[in-house]
């Protein structure tokens, strides 16, 4: 009887923690208003910048998000969150500032790239590359 009681308590605790984890991970990724309206200071049509953004994406992002941003990177199966499909209308409907914020700050399995890509302009170039992936 004692073991059954202990098993029940441990089971309820595990269920509660699992439920909380799922709830937190499914929460919408809130982006502060100042980022939503932030304008991209780079020129998306600049070929040199476009090449740099593509190279940074390949080095820093493709292992999770895939070479073409489809969410099918080699590390994607190991991660808990949705890696997204950057070619989708849902991803492309975000403002440049929202994408910049997500790259800069990260969340859960998505790390902050402020240290790996310390130059703000370079992170904006990655935003431009993500834009180029639309269908």
């Amino acid at each position: 009887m004692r073991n059954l009681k202990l098993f029940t308590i441990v089971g309820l605790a595990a269920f509660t923690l699992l439920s909380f984890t799922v709830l937190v991970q499914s929460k919408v990724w809130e982006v502060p208003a100042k980022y939503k309206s932030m304008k991209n200071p780079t020129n998306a049509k600049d070929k040199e910048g476009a090449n740099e953004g593509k190279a940074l994406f390949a080095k820093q992002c493709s292992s999770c998000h895939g070479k073409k941003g489809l969410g099918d990177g080699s590390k994607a199966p190991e991660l808990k969150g949705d890696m997204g499909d950057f070619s989708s209308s849902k991803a492309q409907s975000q403002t440049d500032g929202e994408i910049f914020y997500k790259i800069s700050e990260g969340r859960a399995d998505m790390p902050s790239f402020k240290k790996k890509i310390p130059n703000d302009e370079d992170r904006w170039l990655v935003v431009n590359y993500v834009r180029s992936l639309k269908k």
Side-chain angles (χ1 to χ4, degrees), residues 38-44 96-97 121 124-125 127-128 131:
M38 193 177 276
K39 299 295 180 205
N40 188 334
T42 64
N43 179 357
D96 284 359
E121 183 176 345
W124 282 112
L125 295 176
V127 171
N128 292 342
R131 286 280 182 233

Side-chain angles (χ1 to χ4, degrees), residues 24-87:
V24 168
Q25 288 179 352
S26 65
K27 184 179 174 187
V28 173
W29 196 338
E30 293 296 325
V31 176
K34 77 175 195 174
Y35 286 93
K36 290 180 181 181
S37 60
M38 193 177 276
K39 299 295 180 205
N40 188 334
T42 64
N43 179 357
K45 294 179 182 178
D46 174 54
K47 289 198 184 260
E48 189 176 319
N51 289 335
E52 181 66 21
K54 183 177 183 177
L56 286 165
F57 184 92
K59 181 179 180 185
Q60 301 292 344
C61 312
S62 65
S63 62
C64 297
H65 294 290
K67 291 179 183 179
K68 295 183 180 181
L70 301 176
D72 59 352
S74 60
K75 291 184 180 178
E78 303 167 17
L79 303 172
K80 296 175 188 163
D82 176 13
M83 297 304 104
D85 174 357
F86 297 152
S87 69

